[in-house]
Amino acid sequence: MADFMTETAQRSPVVPHPGTAWERRGRAGDADAGPLEGQEAAALLERTRAVVDPELRAALDALPGSMRRIALYHFGWQHADGTPATGKAGKAIRPALVLAAAAALGGPAARTAAVRAAVAVELVHNFTLLHDDVMDRDTSRRHRPTAWTVFGDADAILAGDALQALALRLLAEDPHPASGPAAARLTDCVLELCAGQHTDTDLERRAPDEVTLDEVLAMAEAKTGALLGCACALGALYAGAGQEDVAALDGFGRQAGLAFQLIDDVIGIWGDPRRTGKPAGADLAARKKSLPVVAALSTGTEAAAELAELYGKPSISGDAEDIARAALAVERAGGRDWAQTEAADRMARAVQELSRAIPAPEAAGGLLALAEFVTRRSS
């Protein structure tokens, strides 16, 4: 594989029509673009939770009692003993994308009509989290023990299955004319998510020098980009958009999803545990072949060789010194810088996709604010 640092240096940034308002909105990572977009995104997420959470709770109430208890714990609304809790059920980025896409293409009425689709997307997202936590053996999520550590593997997996079935039932019962195409698209997305997760587990079994950056990027698109793309596409469907616009919104979400995953992988190595709710260097302790790690390994540098040696150990989990050495090796080999540059590039591509469907950037403000928010987050 060609040296990724050379490729990055030679690659021109992908931005829509230079000199336009779209170009100014597409500069992910631009310090001048941060505060206003961050405030707009925070307001959008708050409004999303206000309309989605009641519908989400109502949907969870339809689950069998045993599954409902696990789901409510996972969402942060109950303690393990079943008593009420006041935790937050995640950031609501995916349902916010559904509603923002619907509003951008169809106005407030389309946004209101798309609430059930937004809930379905959030249910599918949490189905993947419950399963991922079991497969990755993650012990902490949203600042509390993961569901499998409390209820056991089998119950956590079954609760995830129940959430996926509930998502599809919501769409099947929705009288909106877009519900059928939306259900089909969400089902295809779940299949892609499963394929991506299978690739992820396969890559984890392979030696560090047997994994390519292209493979990990493709896996990240399937695991993360697919659902963000699907969320945007569902919003477009509920707005009555044509196939080309739906495809453009899907492309926007996929590229923004890759930027999201790149930043998530950076946070997985260098994130502050007080903000992430996970131990420092959690991904390194688990020897995950995340994007910054594989990028660093591909450089052929001394730091890459040191990282490969550390990843070749039977386990570095719990060894603070080895985790710190691995984090430094990734950084010295350029993995962190590459991930951040690649995230900015993917955001520029996302903006280009969005400009195909929505000529005026003002109409796409909510979608842009959300995409920029996820590439500047620290937890």
Side-chain angles (χ1 to χ4, degrees):
M1 182 176 62
D3 186 307
F4 81 90
M5 296 297 284
T6 302
E7 292 177 349
T8 301
Q10 293 174 344
R11 181 171 59 237
S12 299
V14 182
V15 295
H17 311 300
T20 68
W22 274 113
E23 182 190 22
R24 293 191 294 275
R25 291 303 301 266
R27 294 171 181 160
D30 185 343
D32 294 336
L36 289 179
E37 281 80 0
Q39 293 171 14
E40 184 179 355
L44 278 169
L45 293 172
E46 186 176 349
R47 290 199 299 272
T48 298
R49 287 255 75 109
V51 298
V52 166
D53 280 1
E55 297 294 328
L56 183 57
R57 282 178 176 266
L60 295 180
D61 283 342
L63 290 173
S66 57
M67 296 298 96
R68 182 169 64 250
R69 179 182 174 190
I70 299 165
L72 288 171
Y73 171 83
H74 168 76
F75 278 99
W77 292 329
Q78 280 190 5
H79 296 295
D81 62 3
T83 56
T86 57
K88 290 186 177 180
K91 296 181 178 67
I93 290 166
R94 290 155 190 83
L97 286 171
V98 175
L99 301 183
L105 289 168
R111 183 182 189 275
T112 300
V115 169
R116 186 173 293 191
V119 174
V121 167
E122 185 72 341
L123 287 167
V124 165
H125 172 53
N126 281 276
F127 136 69
T128 68
L129 296 183
L130 282 161
H131 283 202
D132 280 358
D133 285 343
V134 173
M135 286 183 275
D136 295 342
R137 311 314 286 171
D138 284 336
T139 59
S140 176
R141 181 173 294 282
R142 299 168 183 159
H143 304 276
R144 67 199 317 227
T146 46
W148 73 267
T149 67
V150 176
F151 301 100
D153 289 2
D155 283 356
I157 292 169
L158 289 169
D161 294 341
L163 294 187
Q164 180 192 175
L166 190 58
L168 294 174
R169 190 176 77 179
L170 280 178
L171 292 177
E173 294 176 346
D174 189 353
H176 194 282
S179 63
R185 197 170 195 105
L186 188 59
T187 302
D188 286 343
C189 178
V190 169
L191 293 174
E192 189 174 356
L193 290 168
C194 291
Q197 180 63 23
H198 179 268
T199 300
D200 191 15
T201 56
D202 177 62
L203 294 178
E204 293 305 314
R205 289 192 292 264
R206 286 155 57 181
D209 60 355
E210 296 176 350
V211 177
T212 70
L213 193 52
D214 285 343
E215 286 179 303
V216 183
L217 280 166
M219 179 269 293
E221 180 176 350
K223 279 194 63 175
T224 304
L227 188 54
L228 269 71
C230 182
C232 295
L234 261 59
L237 286 171
Y238 272 74
Q243 291 185 2
E244 288 187 5
D245 287 348
V246 172
L249 265 292
D250 181 83
F252 163 76
R254 283 177 179 270
Q255 293 298 328
L258 275 171
F260 178 100
Q261 187 60 55
L262 284 153
I263 297 303
D264 196 65
D265 284 355
V266 169
I267 293 169
I269 298 174
W270 294 282
D272 183 346
R274 292 171 296 182
R275 296 179 64 86
T276 65
K278 295 184 177 182
D283 285 0
L284 295 175
R287 291 183 298 166
K288 288 186 180 180
K289 296 180 182 71
S290 62
L291 285 158
V293 167
V294 176
L297 288 168
S298 73
T299 61
T301 60
E302 290 184 9
E306 181 183 0
L307 180 62
E309 181 183 353
L310 288 166
Y311 262 54
K313 288 187 173 186
S315 176
I316 61 175
S317 60
D319 189 328
E321 184 177 346
D322 275 354
I323 292 171
R325 284 179 59 203
L328 183 59
V330 175
E331 190 153 13
R332 285 172 48 222
R336 185 175 189 170
D337 286 344
W338 174 85
Q340 292 171 327
T341 299
E342 185 71 11
D345 181 61
R346 295 292 177 169
M347 260 298 295
R349 297 188 196 191
V351 170
Q352 187 176 49
E353 290 284 350
L354 191 57
S355 69
R356 290 170 45 206
I358 307 173
E362 301 78 25
L367 288 166
L368 287 166
L370 289 168
E372 290 163 353
F373 169 78
V374 301
T375 60
R376 291 190 178 90
R377 64 200 181 91
S378 59
S379 64

